[in-house]
């Protein structure tokens, strides 16, 4: 099996999973956190270098206030309860997304997770929180425009690499595989730039039902795909020209 270096996951379907069982949506999100723990363990066991998970999108704020606070509460709980174990397992945590507008306690927890685990060299767990790809691209363009305006960079010197480096994912390889559960077949503002050549896997199960076996099956199928990056051979034109 070819193990991808970077797998990104849209963990979708917690609400429908709960509804199908007559449970409140929060029960679905709680089950989703458990599925996330298992996915992190599996990725770590398989030697996957990078796992990115879409935990909260910049559009999720439009959900009812009670659900937003449930999701924020689960993130806090996840970091408070699981950080020590992640650290022991050599997991490095990184967070992408807009951080300035977040509540101070969440910002501090996210920073604590990143600082504590900064030297870890096993799995890199990237948590996309208050993340939206278009927002990320706008922030990157602003940064590049400021460099051009201040004379640190000329407009004609802006390349694919300049843009990549200005994104939240700077230094993170592009995902080889993006998995979305729940049967929806779209990217929903997730890693739009980075997933240009990613393989996509849309699974019919809800996120809480994403088992380690299903994860491994999906990776096995990925291993059989031929990736050509727009050319004739298996080579990523951006990373190979860097
Ligand atoms: C989509 O399910 C999932 C989310 C909005 C967030 C994913 C969150 C978790 C897995 C738990 C929280 C984990 C952390 C680390 C914060 P949905 O509610 O959109 O499901 P639906 O489409 O069936 O309604």
């Amino acid at each position: 099996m070819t193990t991808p270096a970077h797998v990104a996951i849209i963990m979708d379907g917690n609400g429908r999973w709960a509804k199908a069982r007559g449970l409140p949506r929060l029960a679905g999100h709680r089950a989703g956190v458990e599925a996330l723990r298992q996915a992190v363990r599996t990725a770590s066991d398989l030697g996957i270098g990078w796992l990115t998970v879409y935990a909260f999108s910049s559009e999720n704020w439009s959900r009812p206030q009670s659900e937003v606070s449930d999701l924020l509460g689960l993130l806090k709980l996840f970091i408070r309860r699981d950080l020590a174990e992640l650290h022991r397992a050599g997991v490095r945590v990184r967070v992408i997304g807009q951080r300035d507008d977040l509540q101070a306690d969440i910002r501090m927890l996210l920073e604590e997770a990143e600082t504590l685990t900064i030297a870890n060299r096993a799995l890199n767990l990237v948590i996309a929180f208050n993340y939206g790809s278009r927002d990320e691209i706008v922030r990157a363009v602003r940064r590049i425009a400021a460099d051009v305006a201040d004379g640190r960079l000329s407009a004609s010197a802006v390349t694919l690499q300049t843009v990549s480096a200005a994104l939240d994912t700077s230094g993170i390889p592009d995902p080889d595989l993006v998995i979305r559960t729940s049967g929806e077949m779209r990217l929903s503002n997730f890693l739009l730039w980075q997933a240009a050549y990613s393989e996509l896997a849309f699974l019919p199960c809800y996120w809480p039902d994403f088992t380690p076996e299903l994860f491994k099956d999906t990776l096995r199928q990925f291993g059989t795909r031929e990736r050509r990056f727009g050319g004739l051979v298996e080579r990523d034109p951006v990373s190979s020209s860097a």
Side-chain angles (χ1 to χ4, degrees):
M1 173 170 74
T2 316
T3 306
H6 184 176
V7 177
I9 307 185
I10 303 175
M11 310 181 286
D12 193 16
N14 295 344
R16 279 164 285 170
W17 181 92
K19 192 172 175 207
R21 286 163 179 73
L23 297 170
R25 291 177 62 81
L26 175 58
H29 294 312
R30 285 202 179 116
V33 175
E34 195 43 50
L36 171 61
R37 288 193 181 105
Q38 287 191 354
V40 172
R41 270 183 224 121
T42 308
S44 191
D45 291 348
L46 295 177
I48 290 172
W50 299 82
L51 178 70
T52 299
V53 293
Y54 206 1
F56 191 91
S57 81
S58 39
E59 287 73 35
N60 284 152
W61 297 107
S62 63
R63 294 192 176 200
Q65 185 51 46
S66 60
E67 181 162 350
V68 169
S69 61
D70 283 346
L71 283 166
L72 298 183
L74 280 176
L75 175 82
K76 288 193 235 176
L77 206 64
F78 176 71
I79 295 194
R80 288 198 185 113
R81 280 210 189 140
D82 295 46
L83 185 58
E85 192 188 329
L86 291 169
H87 185 41
R88 264 198 305 278
V91 175
R92 179 176 177 184
V93 177
R94 211 169 133 170
V95 182
I96 56 170
Q98 162 70 266
R99 239 182 272 193
D100 298 348
D101 303 339
L102 292 175
Q103 298 163 9
D105 60 338
I106 293 191
R107 261 204 330 262
M108 275 163 60
L109 271 176
L110 297 178
E111 274 158 29
E112 185 193 330
E114 289 182 320
T115 310
L116 178 72
T117 61
I118 198 160
N120 290 346
R121 290 289 170 267
L123 173 72
N124 289 279
L125 173 64
V126 182
I127 302 177
F129 193 82
N130 193 22
Y131 175 86
S133 209
R134 288 177 169 180
D135 171 69
E136 176 193 32
I137 291 170
V138 168
R139 287 185 284 110
V141 169
R142 281 195 195 130
R143 238 172 266 147
I144 294 169
D147 281 349
V148 172
D150 293 348
R152 287 188 294 269
L153 183 68
S154 77
S156 59
V158 175
T159 61
L160 291 174
Q161 284 73 26
T162 318
V163 178
S164 282
L167 296 170
D168 295 352
T169 49
S170 172
I172 299 177
D174 287 342
D176 302 291
L177 174 66
V178 177
I179 299 173
R180 180 174 190 151
T181 56
S182 94
E184 311 290 350
M185 297 193 195
R186 53 179 175 271
L187 287 176
S188 298
N189 207 11
F190 185 51
L191 302 178
L192 298 183
W193 170 278
Q194 299 85 342
Y197 286 102
S198 303
E199 294 294 321
L200 307 177
F202 298 106
L203 307 185
C205 73
Y206 297 137
W207 173 249
D209 293 327
F210 185 75
T211 57
E213 291 67 40
L214 201 49
F215 196 174
K216 287 178 201 163
D217 276 355
T218 311
L219 295 179
R220 229 169 270 128
Q221 282 184 30
F222 163 83
T224 65
R225 296 191 191 180
E226 192 192 359
R227 305 182 68 205
R228 292 196 298 274
F229 302 95
L232 297 177
V233 291
E234 193 152 313
R235 194 169 70 93
D236 179 344
V238 178
S239 20
S240 52
S241 63

